[in-house]
Amino acid sequence: MTEQGEGEGDPAGESQRRRRHLRVPVTEEEGHQIEALAQQTGLSIAAYLRLIGLGYQPRSVVDLDQIRELVRVNGDLGRLGGLLKLWLSDDEKLANFEPGKMQRIIHGVLTKIEANQEELRTVAGTVLRVRSGTPRPKKPPRS
C-alpha cells in the first residue's frame, strides 16, 4: 500500500496530536481496494481509515461530480421545456411557419428532451452503481 502524508485530509493540522499508530494487516487485494476507496473520497489512506474506524462514512468525490452532471442535464431539460412552451404558446410565431416545418421543429425539440432524459437516467444509474461499489460505465457522448 502506498504511504501518504499523515497530515493529508486533516483539518487544522490535527495530525500533530496523533502519536499512536495502529497496525492493520491487509491482503494485497484489500490494500488496493482501500487505496481506491480513499482516492474516490479525496482523502489520504490514513484519514480515510480513521474516519471509517470512527464510524463516519466519507462521501465520494465521484458522487459530487455525478451530481453536478445531473444538475447540468436537468438544466438542459428545463431550458428545452421552456423553449417548447414558448413556441407553442406564441400564436404569432406559429403562424410564420408552415405546419410541416413546425411539426419537424417540435419533433426535434422533443427528441432532444428525450435524449436528455435518457442521459439523466444514465448518470443517475451511474451514481447509484458507484455508491453500491460496482464499476461505473464510461460517459455517453453528448449530442
Side-chain angles (χ1 to χ4, degrees):
M1 219 163 33
T2 310
E3 299 265 340
Q4 294 195 10
E6 185 69 27
E8 290 180 37
D10 291 338
E14 288 182 24
S15 63
Q16 302 269 336
R17 293 180 264 155
R18 293 189 179 106
R19 299 285 182 232
R20 183 169 179 200
H21 293 266
L22 302 176
R23 186 178 180 287
V24 180
V26 296
T27 65
E28 193 70 28
E29 184 179 321
E30 290 169 336
H32 290 301
Q33 188 174 3
I34 290 169
E35 286 175 346
L37 290 169
Q39 187 176 23
Q40 283 180 1
T41 61
L43 296 170
S44 68
I45 294 168
Y48 175 79
L49 290 174
R50 185 180 311 107
L51 287 174
I52 294 296
L54 294 173
Y56 295 101
Q57 184 62 41
R59 294 206 173 221
S60 171
V61 291
V62 174
D63 287 347
L64 296 176
D65 292 341
Q66 295 301 319
I67 297 288
R68 284 187 196 101
E69 185 69 8
L70 286 172
V71 169
R72 183 197 61 77
V73 173
N74 189 49
D76 288 349
L77 282 172
R79 283 185 290 282
L80 287 168
L83 176 66
L84 183 60
K85 181 180 177 181
L86 177 71
W87 274 68
L88 294 176
S89 65
D90 190 345
D91 290 337
E92 194 175 304
K93 275 189 180 179
L94 290 174
N96 293 333
F97 290 97
E98 59 186 68
K101 184 174 184 179
M102 194 62 193
Q103 188 175 12
R104 286 191 302 278
I105 290 171
I106 291 171
H107 180 71
V109 171
L110 289 173
T111 300
K112 182 67 174 166
I113 288 172
E114 288 172 355
N116 274 284
Q117 286 175 324
E118 182 57 37
E119 185 178 358
L120 192 62
R121 282 190 288 274
T122 300
V123 173
T126 301
V127 169
L128 293 174
R129 279 190 289 279
V130 168
R131 292 294 291 169
S132 68
T134 57
R136 63 186 241 207
K138 292 186 179 193
K139 253 184 171 174
R142 284 194 65 191
S143 40

